[in-house]
Amino acid sequence: MYSSIKRWSTAILIALVFIGNINNVFSQSRYGNIEGLVLNIENEPLVGANIILPNVERGAATNKQGEFIITQLFAGTYQVAVKFIGYKSETKNVNVNAGETSRVQFKLRQSAIESEPVVITGSPIAVDPLNSPQDISSISGREKIRLQSTSLGKTIESIPGIYNMSAGSVAGKPIIRGQTGERIRILSDGVAQEYQQYGERHAPNIDPYNAERVEIIKGAASLLYGSDALGGAINLIPYRFHIATGEKTEFNTSVTTAYHSNNNEYMAGAKFGVSKGKVGFKGALVRRSAGNFHTPELAPFSQTGKRGDPKFTGEIDHTDFEQINGSFSAGVLTTAGLFSINYDHYYNENNFLLPQGTPIGLRLQNQIVSAKANMPLGRFILQPKFSYQRNHRQAAKPGQSRDSLPDSVNVDLVLDVYTGRFEVVHTKISDFSGTFGAEIKYYDHENIGIVPLQPTGHFANFALFGFEEWQSDKITLNFGARFDYRSQQFLGSSTNPLLPEDDKRTFSSLSGAIGTAYKLSKMLTAAANIGRGFRTPSFYNMYVHGYHGGVFAYQIGNPELDNEISLDLNASLRLRNERAEASATIFQNRIRNYIFLYSAPDHPLAPENETFVFAHDQADAILTGLDFSVKYNVFDWLVLGGNYSFINSEFSSGTHKENELPLMPADRVCGEVKFMLPNISIAKSPYLFFTMKYVGDKSAAGIYEPFGQFDDGIGPDIPFGVASTDAYSLVNIGFGFDLKVMKMPVNFDLELTNLLDKDYRDFLDTYKGYALSPGRSVNFKANLPIGN
């Protein structure tokens, strides 16, 4: 059965290409073009501005005269979004008639507040985030260039409601309103990423550099993205294909370099896009190399003898890493639509420091091949997609570094995932727009290592979904439903007492959402959304039985676990005008059958010689919280900003009732002061900024807390380190400017993080049990765009 699923998934794309070519026969004369001009308010052309038609995944870049043209568009109305670093984005609706060229002009105004004109994640069609019923945030443009880091978690942690669970600079897992790992879905251009995400230090195997922007759904997103999206989703969206006009070869390139002094980290990356005729290519390549990170130079526990002091300070050995990541895409525009194929590659080697002071080496490889099409058919757009992913995780034996791999491999996990997805998107039909479709996923996991961290097995998941949106001048209403059915099989093992023989079982779930947004005025919107999400217990949750070196604990699964079911409610008030952006959101996520680990030294399957043993269980849980953010351009030369994030959580059933959930972030307040300075000689649009972050104290969740061994009461006494953390404040300062080279802006940014070299331990830093968090760092970034 499973081999036929693979063949059918592949056949989806072939069948729809055939449908598209039938469409070709009847629609040769139904196309028009959009031609445009992008200027600043001084009527000067903006060179290299990014033009996006989000619903048809087409794009263009302006030439030296600020002009662009997008050809071969079906008759109809298109959203055209224009973005340029350092300017306020703008969106217009443009009507296209068959056989004609529609002309449009944009005049962009310089702005210290960059906002995304439209988002495509979590909505049936592209939508202005101000008016979306879903709570969606994003980063792009100059802000993304400044913030992007090695890890996805670090890149987006400044967004309200988003946090970073870190292990040095190499690993950063995003947390959305208290949910992470297997409860949030990481997507690359809508393709779900699998990366053995159950581990606290198992960060997404994806490089933020390769994406043009990052969009985040805060709240249940299972309707479109299935299991693992009950807490939200993060979508990394690449640059769209810029298809040339005529036979002229067009290209655009950007080169980026960065340096971080704290861990002597070097980064060099390049992106390119080239097209001729109806064929386009694009790609990215980035290389990263880093040494050990450093904390403030304080006396360690071995010198002070003071309980709770860190075991390691200064240079933290065995925290170095090497990466080389990239992507390549090819697309062809036919009269049937845009067809493309993409290859993504991620390769990482790093060391983690263990409490004993020895390393554990890690090697990660992730490869994805995807093929998709975007085929307009009147008011409908057919969107078939097929992807294949291979994820390979290797960990050395504790005490062995990455240099010893693969000879010293202890954990060796290979994952193959095949996904076929077919969506039909429709534009306005009686004021309704939406999408409906089907998805098939085949997941094949093989454990070829020594430790039975996750058993060998496979599953097939079938899903049907529909999502509709109705809009009037003031009201947006969307609603939808999804049904998932999963059949899975685990292969028995003589080394795993939880799985002595093959085990077959099925799961199913119904998810959905309904939301509305109401424009109180042109600049003020109220929104609310109710979403039902789900998560099927993973292979790891049910059948792990072994020592997990990354968290230095023996872990035991539970074969009796049921689906997690969430009911997520949130309500927002959002404001946006020429000088300000603000939002306030309250939320509550009720999760039935919440799966967690707890300290279980007396578990009947616990080995006698293991010091720290954690086992799986589940109970109902409630998470309630608030996000608030504001940016205000007080004067042309001054921008003030700030945000606040708060979460309260507890178990609401069984013997665990009223205890706090594990891995819940501490309260956080952030502030920013940004000065827009006058031009200084050749330095254009210079700015100076200060950021401040206050994080409250946080108590660990007792027997439920990963790394809880470092507080009293769990296992043998450990005198150094902490699991609970004190409050702390950090100050950063930065400076940036542009240089004009052949009319193209070259971006420079310099930032000093942890300016005062503050010693602290963040609650979500997985090294808090034996080391401080990173000290001061001088960070430099430069980005040079090139185009014809």
Side-chain angles (χ1 to χ4, degrees), residues 18 116 159 222-223 303 307 310 320 335 371 379 398 439 487 521 526 546 569 686 688 702 715 741 744 754 758 778:
F18 174 73
E116 198 65 40
I159 296 173
S222 292
L223 169 57
Q303 296 179 21
R307 188 172 193 83
D320 54 302
T335 52
R379 289 183 177 270
E439 182 180 83
S487 174
S521 68
L569 303 92
L688 174 70
V741 179
M744 303 288 284
N754 193 357
K758 173 77 173 179
V778 180

Side-chain angles (χ1 to χ4, degrees), residues 60 207 669:
D207 198 311
V669 180

Side-chain angles (χ1 to χ4, degrees), residues 23-78:
N23 174 49
N24 177 21
V25 175
F26 298 102
S27 58
Q28 293 285 348
S29 61
R30 297 171 59 191
Y31 299 105
N33 309 315
I34 295 178
E35 189 176 90
L37 179 65
V38 182
L39 307 170
N40 61 20
I41 58 173
E42 286 81 27
N43 291 319
E44 298 170 334
L46 293 178
V47 182
N50 193 20
I51 317 300
I52 304 170
L53 274 62
N55 289 320
V56 292
E57 299 190 357
R58 294 281 303 279
T62 55
N63 60 20
K64 292 179 181 179
Q65 289 74 45
E67 301 165 338
F68 70 90
I69 184 168
I70 301 175
T71 60
Q72 201 170 296
L73 297 168
F74 269 96
T77 301
Y78 291 85

